[in-house]
């Protein structure tokens, strides 16, 4: 479980998040949404321990995030950043293999079991054919799917994802969203997904954490939360529901 308790964060003198309180239960699949600049990525970094709250605390499994060692935290949660970051000298296979580092002891080489996990994760993200390629030989979308494979190879109960489909074509967007829904339902992984696409979130995510003006304006069932009034207030667009689909239009 993730508990966000009275969390505030400021960049220099500029407040970004103010007194956030939320509880993410084990196995939840959350869309973290809001207008540009509302603090979605900042919130994800606070949960990941990359930033320290100006006020309040983030607790994961009963322990404050800042009190975990780096290895312990890497066994708890994996992070897929919006912009894929990796060292250009490593192949895609070696990059995904880094996801196994939290489970290896000092100077220990990767095992055959580790390599099998990497292959499985690369096949699930449709990146196995890229295994010998270096980052500069891949497109942004291909590299993003490799980083998704690395996160899966960490085998953590929590996965944090910052707009992981933003650089993908529509077919691969559906492919990754299908995969996320599968691992959420079959493996009961807790997923926090920062996403801008309201329709994708509507189709795949069960829960919604909606940010607005530095605070949480809604937490709960996504389909109950994305009301026309709330969508207009937060995103400035009109919306309606037709069957099981969310229809958006300009004001």
């Amino acid at each position: 479980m993730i508990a966000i308790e009275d969390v505030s964060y400021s960049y220099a003198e500029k407040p970004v998040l103010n007194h956030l309180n939320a509880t993410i239960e084990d196995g939840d699949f959350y869309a973290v949404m809001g207008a540009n600049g509302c603090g979605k990525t900042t919130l994800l970094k606070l949960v990941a321990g990359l930033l320290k709250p100006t006020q309040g605390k983030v607790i994961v499994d009963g322990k404050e995030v800042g009190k975990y060692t780096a290895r312990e935290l890497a066994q708890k949660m994996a992070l897929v950043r919006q912009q894929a970051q990796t060292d250009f000298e490593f192949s895609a296979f070696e990059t995904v293999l880094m996801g196994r580092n939290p489970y290896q002891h000092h100077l220990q080489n990767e095992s055959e079991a580790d390599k099998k996990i990497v292959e499985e994760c690369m096949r699930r993200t449709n990146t196995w054919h890229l295994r010998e390629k270096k980052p500069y030989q891949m497109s942004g979308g291909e590299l993003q799917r490799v980083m998704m494979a690395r996160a899966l190879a960490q085998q953590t109960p929590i996965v944090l994802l910052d707009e992981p489909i933003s650089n993908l074509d529509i077919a691969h967007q559906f492919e990754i969203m299908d995969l996320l829904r599968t691992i959420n339902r079959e493996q009961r992984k807790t997923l926090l997904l920062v996403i801008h696409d309201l329709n994708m979130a509507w189709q795949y995510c069960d829960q919604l954490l909606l940010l607005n003006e530095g605070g949480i304006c809604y937490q709960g069932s996504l389909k109950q939360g994305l009301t026309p009034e709330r969508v207009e207030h937060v995103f400035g667009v009109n919306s309606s529901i037709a069957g099981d689909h969310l229809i958006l239009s300009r004001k």
Side-chain angles (χ1 to χ4, degrees):
M1 186 179 73
I2 302 169
I4 299 166
E5 299 184 355
D6 196 32
V7 167
S8 298
Y9 188 80
S10 300
Y11 288 105
E13 299 298 321
K14 181 182 179 182
V16 178
L17 299 173
N18 297 302
H19 304 290
L20 269 59
N21 288 280
T23 299
I24 311 298
E25 300 290 347
D26 291 344
D28 280 344
F29 187 176
Y30 263 88
V32 181
M33 307 190 79
N36 286 341
C38 70
K40 300 182 296 294
T41 295
T42 299
L43 177 59
L44 225 61
K45 289 181 178 179
L46 288 164
V47 174
L50 299 178
L51 295 176
K52 183 178 179 180
T54 307
Q55 175 181 318
K57 54 189 174 181
V58 177
I59 296 172
V60 174
D61 288 345
K63 185 176 179 178
E64 195 170 343
V65 164
K67 295 182 179 178
Y68 282 102
T69 66
R71 179 182 292 271
E72 288 171 340
L73 203 55
Q75 293 177 1
K76 288 286 184 183
M77 63 181 80
L79 172 65
V80 180
R81 299 174 184 267
Q82 181 179 359
Q83 298 296 329
Q85 296 177 346
T86 188
D87 195 310
F88 283 178
E89 69 179 81
F90 294 110
S91 68
F93 184 89
E94 291 167 333
T95 297
V96 178
L97 191 58
M98 293 176 189
R100 303 303 302 157
N101 287 349
Y103 306 98
Q104 296 168 3
H105 298 294
H106 184 59
L107 299 180
Q108 177 186 7
N109 292 327
E110 63 276 358
S111 66
E112 289 303 314
D114 289 326
K115 293 178 181 179
K116 287 181 180 179
I117 290 169
V118 168
E119 179 177 349
E120 177 187 352
C121 293
M122 294 190 77
R123 289 191 183 279
R124 295 192 77 179
T125 53
N126 194 22
T127 55
W128 183 241
H129 65 289
L130 302 170
R131 59 191 179 276
E132 299 299 333
K133 290 187 177 293
K134 305 292 178 66
Y136 63 83
Q137 297 172 315
M138 292 183 279
S139 69
E142 288 173 334
L143 182 55
Q144 187 72 337
R145 285 186 288 127
V146 167
M147 303 311 289
M148 175 73 73
R150 185 173 78 170
L152 295 181
Q154 271 183 248
Q155 295 188 320
T156 56
I158 301 169
V159 183
L160 312 174
L161 306 112
D162 190 4
E163 296 187 57
I165 63 172
S166 60
N167 291 324
L168 305 181
D169 59 48
I170 189 65
H172 284 119
Q173 287 183 21
F174 279 113
E175 192 175 271
I176 291 299
M177 294 302 293
D178 283 340
L179 174 60
L180 292 176
R181 182 165 60 185
T182 296
I183 65 173
N184 169 253
R185 293 181 177 177
E186 293 182 358
Q187 302 178 24
R188 298 298 298 162
K189 287 183 183 291
T190 303
L191 305 181
L192 267 68
L193 170 69
V194 171
I195 184 170
H196 277 290
D197 191 322
L198 273 71
N199 280 296
M200 278 290 189
W202 182 270
Q203 291 182 59
Y204 286 95
C205 301
D206 301 316
Q207 304 292 322
L208 172 65
L209 195 65
L210 187 60
L211 303 183
N212 189 51
E213 296 180 351
I216 296 173
C217 67
Y218 176 84
Q219 180 184 5
S221 166
L222 183 139
K223 290 187 177 179
Q224 292 179 22
L226 286 182
T227 62
E229 296 79 14
R230 196 170 278 124
V231 169
E232 180 181 2
H233 176 68
V234 174
F235 299 101
V237 297
N238 294 323
S239 66
S240 59
I241 300 169
D244 196 37
H245 296 278
L246 183 67
I247 309 299
L248 304 174
S249 60
R250 298 181 64 180
K251 290 182 64 176

